[in-house]
Amino acid sequence: MPLILGGVGLLVVVILLVVMSQSGKKPAATPTPTPTPAAQPKAPHQSAPTQVAAGAAKAGKTPTKPAPALTQDMLQKAASLLDEAKALSNEGVKVRNAGDSAGARTKQSQAKDKIDEVKALLAAPLRWQEEADLEDWAMPAIYSSLGKLYNEVSSLEKKVRMSGGT
């Protein structure tokens, strides 16, 4: 019985702390509207290409190996391939929902091929970044962008595999 009362008391304290910390926050400033660029005409079934966001450099130890060449163009090409893979995967889901499992597997396999292209394009920088993460090396800002992009690649790859992509 004392343990139950102690647990309830601890729960009340945690709830009070959460409520007090929420009430002490100031409301966020209203963001100022930014002008949007003029809309570009798009081809049907094509979305705007994903722009790779610039990351922040990471401080750390001096790397024992130089970072392989990684350019914004490489990241942009990888993002374009990723967009194509997403579109193929989404088409595969639609085809599966329409009842065509073989067609869906074909679309998912095409998406997997695009993902493999992305991984091949970024193979050397990804290996270096993985080692840099494990060794706590300093990394240029572009490698932070690579990490974010690769998280999206990995997430899509899992969805494609689970949907029948080989």
Side-chain angles (χ1 to χ4, degrees):
M1 187 67 168
L3 287 176
I4 293 173
L5 290 175
V8 170
L10 181 61
L11 181 63
V12 169
V13 169
V14 169
I15 290 173
L16 285 173
L17 287 174
V18 170
V19 169
M20 291 175 72
S21 69
Q22 294 296 323
S23 65
K25 291 185 179 177
K26 295 180 182 177
T30 313
T32 57
T34 56
T36 57
Q40 298 287 332
K42 299 188 265 186
H45 306 299
Q46 185 180 1
S47 62
T50 301
Q51 295 295 320
V52 179
K58 179 185 168 206
K61 300 175 193 170
T62 303
T64 58
K65 295 182 195 176
L70 178 63
T71 64
Q72 191 66 31
D73 289 338
M74 289 172 69
L75 287 179
Q76 197 58 50
K77 179 174 170 118
S80 296
L81 288 169
L82 180 61
D83 287 342
E84 291 174 29
K86 285 178 186 178
L88 286 167
S89 177
N90 290 340
E91 287 176 31
V93 169
K94 289 176 185 175
V95 170
R96 183 176 313 280
N97 289 342
D100 183 8
S101 294
R105 281 192 300 276
T106 301
K107 289 289 185 187
Q108 297 299 346
S109 292
Q110 290 171 345
K112 176 68 167 86
D113 291 342
K114 293 290 182 184
I115 291 169
D116 290 343
E117 285 183 52
V118 171
K119 291 169 78 173
L121 175 67
L122 302 174
L126 283 170
R127 278 192 302 273
W128 185 88
Q129 185 199 27
E130 182 178 16
E131 188 171 357
D133 270 345
L134 292 173
E135 299 292 330
D136 195 31
W137 292 345
M139 282 189 270
I142 197 161
Y143 276 86
S144 296
S145 300
L146 173 66
K148 291 175 186 173
L149 179 69
Y150 194 70
N151 285 340
E152 291 181 43
V153 170
S154 296
S155 176
L156 181 62
E157 184 176 30
K158 179 182 177 188
K159 289 176 189 174
V160 167
R161 281 188 181 162
M162 293 179 76
S163 297
T166 56

